[in-house]
Structure formats: C-alpha cells, structure tokens
Amino acid sequence: MDSDLVLLSYCGKIDFETHESLIDQAKNLPELNDVDLIIKKRLIYIIIEGLENIYKHSDNHQKPNQHNYEDNFILRSTPEGYVISIGNLIGSRKAKQLKQKIEYINTLNPESLKKHYNEIITNGLISEKNGAGLGIVRIALKSSNKINYSIAEIDSDTYYFKMWVDLPKSLKHE
Amino acid sequence: MINALLIDRTRSSPKIYFDPASNVFEIIGESRPENVRLFYEPIVRWLDDYSHEITAAVMRGQQPIKSFNIDIKLGYFNSSSAKFIFDMLHKIHQFYDLGIDVKANWYYEDGDEDMKQAGFDLSEMLDFPFIYIATPAK
C-alpha cells in the first residue's frame, strides 16, 4: 500500500550549518537514487531555498513556553511526489509582507513567474539580509505549483509561518 | 598585470579562478554562500579592476588580450547567487566593447535540462551567446 513517508525532518533552530547538513542529507537519501535527475535537482533546490528562507528570515521571538514554535522542516514522499514543508516564527511586519508576496506569486502563470524572476535578477538589489527576494519565486518555479501557506497568530507581534509545496514525481509536458 | 584571483571551493561556495596570465577563468562548484554579498563583491571588484586595466591599455593603443573565455560549471546555485552571477557575466560581456572576443562556456550535467535552461535564460537576459557543454551524468 502506497502511503506517505517522511524522508527527512528537523525541528529546532535552523542556522547555516543546519541548512548545509540537511542539504547534504537530502542529496544522499537512498530513496532518491533512482529518481529522475531533473526531479531530484528541483527537490534539492526547493530545500535549499526553503531552508535559506528560515535561517535568513526567521525572527527569534521565542518566549518562555514557546518550545512548540521552533524552526521546522519536513520532506515527505507521497504516491504522487514529494512535499517539502518549512515552518518558523516571524514578526508581524514580515507576516504581512510574506502573505502579500505569496499571494501575488500564486496569481502568476509559469511564463509570468519566470518573467518576474528574470526582472528581479536583472534589476533587483541584494538586501541587507543578503536576499534578492527571489527564494519564494524560485520555489514556485521549481515546483511548478502554487505555494501553500498558513500564518498563525501567536500574539500581537509574533506569528508562525508554515509553507509547503508539492513536487510531482514525473515531469509534466514542459 | 593584475594578480590572479583564487578562491577555494567549499561545499557551499564555488572555486573562483581568474588568471589573466594564463587566460584561465573558471567558476566551479555550488553556490549558496552564507553571505552572498561578502563572497561575490570582491569578485565583482576584481572584474572592475581588470576591466580598468584593459581599458587603460587599449587607450594606449595596446591590445593586452584578444580573447576571454570563462568556464561556468555550477551544480547548484541559489537565487541570491543568481543575481551576482548575472552581474559578473554582465561585466564580462562588456569586454566585447574593448575589442575582445568573449566566450562563456556553460557546463551542465547530461540530463539536467534545468541547468541548461538556466544558461539559456542568462544568455538571453545578457544578450550574450553561451556555448553549452554537457558533462557525463554522475
């Protein structure tokens, strides 16, 4: 019976070293040995961008008794493909920006998404957090799917952001 | 002549080897450095300095180099790196204006059509024709 399988998961502070370790582990998963190269690389790209999103943008708003709100990463295999999900705490300003950004990206068709990505590459600036604002765009491009997300309020200035994307196991007609 | 630039490869950042003396220019590895600006800005500055050196020579009536070939062999590059890779290649492409025959060789693993496409996209954005070279699948 086909069912979901957790291939890799992590709960706790995700810093750069953790991000590197998880990428290494993902690359070496035996379950990915026979996966088409393009799919495997897209999966790794989504993981790279997703984890980077956490270590660059997670807000450390941890307060006492908030151990349930740690950084979180799960890679699952399903009969249809893979699900990559991440979660982290963010402040209210970021929550609003992320919501707007994801909702905008989800309105774009593949051609417009690529155009948006290319425009940022050619004209965009690298922010103080060393981001180009491209990570989520790239996740959408690589998954060829909408980005699912939730933003749950913990208190007036703290939210828990969760994002998950589906990556099909087979290539669509592209 | 400007000194060569050599940055060793790590698991999250590529080898950068720019050596005007031997006319070898290559970027090899994966690119997702922890601080992408700290990694790439010295490289962009080096290219600016090299460009100034060549420009000064051309204005003196010299032609210090006739051709410039860069090999780009990237396994993965994150989105922040993409911006800097674009900026680097944009500067390199401008060597055309100095009468230099500029070539960029974009390598990709055989079967990795996404990496090949990434090359096409950069080439198109820069109006800079690349040569595409497939390497044996690992």
mmCIF file of all heavy atoms in Angstrom, chain A residues 56-75:
data_model
loop_
_atom_site.group_PDB
_atom_site.id
_atom_site.type_symbol
_atom_site.label_atom_id
_atom_site.label_comp_id
_atom_site.label_asym_id
_atom_site.label_seq_id
_atom_site.Cartn_x
_atom_site.Cartn_y
_atom_site.Cartn_z
ATOM 1 N N LYS A 56 17.650 32.903 7.198
ATOM 2 C CA LYS A 56 17.833 34.337 6.951
ATOM 3 C C LYS A 56 16.702 35.178 7.529
ATOM 4 O O LYS A 56 16.902 36.331 7.899
ATOM 5 C CB LYS A 56 17.917 34.617 5.447
ATOM 6 C CG LYS A 56 19.258 34.297 4.859
ATOM 7 C CD LYS A 56 19.368 34.762 3.426
ATOM 8 C CE LYS A 56 20.788 34.468 2.912
ATOM 9 N NZ LYS A 56 20.895 34.562 1.464
ATOM 10 N N HIS A 57 15.496 34.628 7.570
ATOM 11 C CA HIS A 57 14.360 35.483 7.882
ATOM 12 C C HIS A 57 13.571 35.101 9.128
ATOM 13 O O HIS A 57 12.631 35.801 9.484
ATOM 14 C CB HIS A 57 13.405 35.518 6.675
ATOM 15 C CG HIS A 57 14.054 36.075 5.441
ATOM 16 N ND1 HIS A 57 14.484 37.373 5.354
ATOM 17 C CD2 HIS A 57 14.386 35.489 4.267
ATOM 18 C CE1 HIS A 57 15.041 37.574 4.169
ATOM 19 N NE2 HIS A 57 14.995 36.456 3.485
ATOM 20 N N SER A 58 13.934 33.995 9.769
ATOM 21 C CA SER A 58 13.222 33.605 10.980
ATOM 22 C C SER A 58 13.465 34.665 12.046
ATOM 23 O O SER A 58 14.591 35.114 12.249
ATOM 24 C CB SER A 58 13.746 32.252 11.441
ATOM 25 O OG SER A 58 13.035 31.801 12.559
ATOM 26 N N ASP A 59 12.425 35.071 12.722
ATOM 27 C CA ASP A 59 12.560 36.046 13.793
ATOM 28 C C ASP A 59 12.581 35.306 15.111
ATOM 29 O O ASP A 59 11.694 34.511 15.401
ATOM 30 C CB ASP A 59 11.378 37.036 13.772
ATOM 31 C CG ASP A 59 11.469 37.990 12.608
ATOM 32 O OD1 ASP A 59 12.586 38.382 12.255
ATOM 33 O OD2 ASP A 59 10.413 38.334 12.053
ATOM 34 N N ASN A 60 13.595 35.602 15.894
ATOM 35 C CA ASN A 60 13.703 34.888 17.170
ATOM 36 C C ASN A 60 12.817 35.535 18.223
ATOM 37 O O ASN A 60 13.287 36.285 19.058
ATOM 38 C CB ASN A 60 15.160 34.862 17.638
ATOM 39 C CG ASN A 60 15.974 33.951 16.760
ATOM 40 O OD1 ASN A 60 15.522 32.903 16.369
ATOM 41 N ND2 ASN A 60 17.179 34.377 16.443
ATOM 42 N N HIS A 61 11.560 35.204 18.096
ATOM 43 C CA HIS A 61 10.640 35.782 19.059
ATOM 44 C C HIS A 61 10.310 34.789 20.155
ATOM 45 O O HIS A 61 9.295 34.894 20.809
ATOM 46 C CB HIS A 61 9.332 36.174 18.351
ATOM 47 C CG HIS A 61 9.455 37.430 17.552
ATOM 48 N ND1 HIS A 61 8.470 38.377 17.497
ATOM 49 C CD2 HIS A 61 10.450 37.894 16.781
ATOM 50 C CE1 HIS A 61 8.862 39.367 16.712
ATOM 51 N NE2 HIS A 61 10.058 39.106 16.264
ATOM 52 N N GLN A 62 11.179 33.785 20.276
ATOM 53 C CA GLN A 62 10.895 32.739 21.255
ATOM 54 C C GLN A 62 10.691 33.330 22.643
ATOM 55 O O GLN A 62 11.500 34.101 23.118
ATOM 56 C CB GLN A 62 12.053 31.744 21.320
ATOM 57 C CG GLN A 62 12.166 30.826 20.118
ATOM 58 C CD GLN A 62 11.092 29.765 20.049
ATOM 59 O OE1 GLN A 62 10.246 29.666 20.937
ATOM 60 N NE2 GLN A 62 11.095 28.948 19.014
ATOM 61 N N LYS A 63 9.623 32.958 23.227
ATOM 62 C CA LYS A 63 9.366 33.396 24.600
ATOM 63 C C LYS A 63 9.227 32.131 25.436
ATOM 64 O O LYS A 63 9.127 31.032 24.892
ATOM 65 C CB LYS A 63 8.074 34.223 24.619
ATOM 66 C CG LYS A 63 8.210 35.544 23.863
ATOM 67 C CD LYS A 63 6.891 36.262 23.698
ATOM 68 C CE LYS A 63 7.114 37.500 22.849
ATOM 69 N NZ LYS A 63 5.884 38.071 22.350
ATOM 70 N N PRO A 64 9.235 32.268 26.743
ATOM 71 C CA PRO A 64 9.081 31.077 27.584
ATOM 72 C C PRO A 64 7.830 30.290 27.184
ATOM 73 O O PRO A 64 6.808 30.847 26.813
ATOM 74 C CB PRO A 64 8.939 31.655 28.997
ATOM 75 C CG PRO A 64 9.611 32.973 28.927
ATOM 76 C CD PRO A 64 9.390 33.480 27.535
ATOM 77 N N ASN A 65 7.947 28.985 27.225
ATOM 78 C CA ASN A 65 6.822 28.094 26.897
ATOM 79 C C ASN A 65 6.459 28.126 25.421
ATOM 80 O O ASN A 65 5.355 27.741 25.060
ATOM 81 C CB ASN A 65 5.583 28.430 27.752
ATOM 82 C CG ASN A 65 5.890 28.304 29.227
ATOM 83 O OD1 ASN A 65 6.600 27.394 29.636
ATOM 84 N ND2 ASN A 65 5.418 29.247 30.012
ATOM 85 N N GLN A 66 7.355 28.596 24.556
ATOM 86 C CA GLN A 66 7.063 28.562 23.125
ATOM 87 C C GLN A 66 7.902 27.504 22.429
ATOM 88 O O GLN A 66 8.270 27.638 21.275
ATOM 89 C CB GLN A 66 7.291 29.932 22.486
ATOM 90 C CG GLN A 66 6.101 30.862 22.674
ATOM 91 C CD GLN A 66 6.245 32.141 21.870
ATOM 92 O OE1 GLN A 66 7.290 32.413 21.308
ATOM 93 N NE2 GLN A 66 5.197 32.940 21.828
ATOM 94 N N HIS A 67 8.172 26.414 23.118
ATOM 95 C CA HIS A 67 9.001 25.381 22.512
ATOM 96 C C HIS A 67 8.298 24.709 21.353
ATOM 97 O O HIS A 67 8.905 24.012 20.574
ATOM 98 C CB HIS A 67 9.408 24.350 23.561
ATOM 99 C CG HIS A 67 8.261 23.715 24.272
ATOM 100 N ND1 HIS A 67 7.698 24.279 25.389
ATOM 101 C CD2 HIS A 67 7.548 22.594 24.011
ATOM 102 C CE1 HIS A 67 6.693 23.510 25.789
ATOM 103 N NE2 HIS A 67 6.579 22.490 24.984
ATOM 104 N N ASN A 68 6.978 24.901 21.229
ATOM 105 C CA ASN A 68 6.283 24.310 20.089
ATOM 106 C C ASN A 68 6.473 25.110 18.822
ATOM 107 O O ASN A 68 6.012 24.712 17.770
ATOM 108 C CB ASN A 68 4.776 24.230 20.381
ATOM 109 C CG ASN A 68 4.491 23.161 21.404
ATOM 110 O OD1 ASN A 68 5.218 22.177 21.488
ATOM 111 N ND2 ASN A 68 3.459 23.363 22.192
ATOM 112 N N TYR A 69 7.116 26.248 18.904
ATOM 113 C CA TYR A 69 7.230 27.119 17.755
ATOM 114 C C TYR A 69 8.666 27.202 17.258
ATOM 115 O O TYR A 69 9.158 28.263 16.935
ATOM 116 C CB TYR A 69 6.699 28.510 18.089
ATOM 117 C CG TYR A 69 5.261 28.480 18.542
ATOM 118 C CD1 TYR A 69 4.906 28.834 19.835
ATOM 119 C CD2 TYR A 69 4.253 28.056 17.679
ATOM 120 C CE1 TYR A 69 3.593 28.796 20.256
ATOM 121 C CE2 TYR A 69 2.933 28.000 18.093
ATOM 122 C CZ TYR A 69 2.612 28.370 19.380
ATOM 123 O OH TYR A 69 1.311 28.320 19.794
ATOM 124 N N GLU A 70 9.320 26.087 17.182
ATOM 125 C CA GLU A 70 10.690 26.064 16.675
ATOM 126 C C GLU A 70 10.673 26.007 15.143
ATOM 127 O O GLU A 70 9.661 25.675 14.526
ATOM 128 C CB GLU A 70 11.419 24.837 17.224
ATOM 129 C CG GLU A 70 11.653 24.941 18.733
ATOM 130 C CD GLU A 70 12.345 23.716 19.275
ATOM 131 O OE1 GLU A 70 11.806 22.607 19.126
ATOM 132 O OE2 GLU A 70 13.432 23.862 19.855
ATOM 133 N N ASP A 71 11.852 26.313 14.556
ATOM 134 C CA ASP A 71 12.009 26.130 13.112
ATOM 135 C C ASP A 71 11.733 24.661 12.797
ATOM 136 O O ASP A 71 12.062 23.763 13.583
ATOM 137 C CB ASP A 71 13.447 26.460 12.678
ATOM 138 C CG ASP A 71 13.820 27.912 12.941
ATOM 139 O OD1 ASP A 71 12.914 28.759 13.064
ATOM 140 O OD2 ASP A 71 15.037 28.180 13.028
ATOM 141 N N ASN A 72 11.150 24.445 11.641
ATOM 142 C CA ASN A 72 10.720 23.101 11.306
ATOM 143 C C ASN A 72 10.891 22.823 9.825
ATOM 144 O O ASN A 72 10.609 23.702 8.989
ATOM 145 C CB ASN A 72 9.243 22.960 11.699
ATOM 146 C CG ASN A 72 8.748 21.547 11.550
ATOM 147 O OD1 ASN A 72 8.256 21.163 10.500
ATOM 148 N ND2 ASN A 72 8.898 20.758 12.590
ATOM 149 N N PHE A 73 11.349 21.617 9.512
ATOM 150 C CA PHE A 73 11.494 21.225 8.109
ATOM 151 C C PHE A 73 11.094 19.763 7.981
ATOM 152 O O PHE A 73 11.514 18.926 8.796
ATOM 153 C CB PHE A 73 12.952 21.410 7.658
ATOM 154 C CG PHE A 73 13.312 20.637 6.423
ATOM 155 C CD1 PHE A 73 12.853 21.038 5.175
ATOM 156 C CD2 PHE A 73 14.093 19.492 6.490
ATOM 157 C CE1 PHE A 73 13.171 20.321 4.031
ATOM 158 C CE2 PHE A 73 14.423 18.766 5.353
ATOM 159 C CZ PHE A 73 13.956 19.186 4.127
ATOM 160 N N ILE A 74 10.278 19.453 6.992
ATOM 161 C CA ILE A 74 9.908 18.058 6.741
ATOM 162 C C ILE A 74 9.919 17.813 5.238
ATOM 163 O O ILE A 74 9.364 18.600 4.466
ATOM 164 C CB ILE A 74 8.501 17.715 7.289
ATOM 165 C CG1 ILE A 74 8.436 17.943 8.801
ATOM 166 C CG2 ILE A 74 8.149 16.257 6.981
ATOM 167 C CD1 ILE A 74 7.057 17.698 9.395
ATOM 168 N N LEU A 75 10.530 16.714 4.862
ATOM 169 C CA LEU A 75 10.467 16.246 3.475
ATOM 170 C C LEU A 75 9.723 14.921 3.485
ATOM 171 O O LEU A 75 10.140 13.980 4.157
ATOM 172 C CB LEU A 75 11.876 16.067 2.902
ATOM 173 C CG LEU A 75 11.974 15.313 1.567
ATOM 174 C CD1 LEU A 75 11.257 16.085 0.465
ATOM 175 C CD2 LEU A 75 13.443 15.081 1.189
#
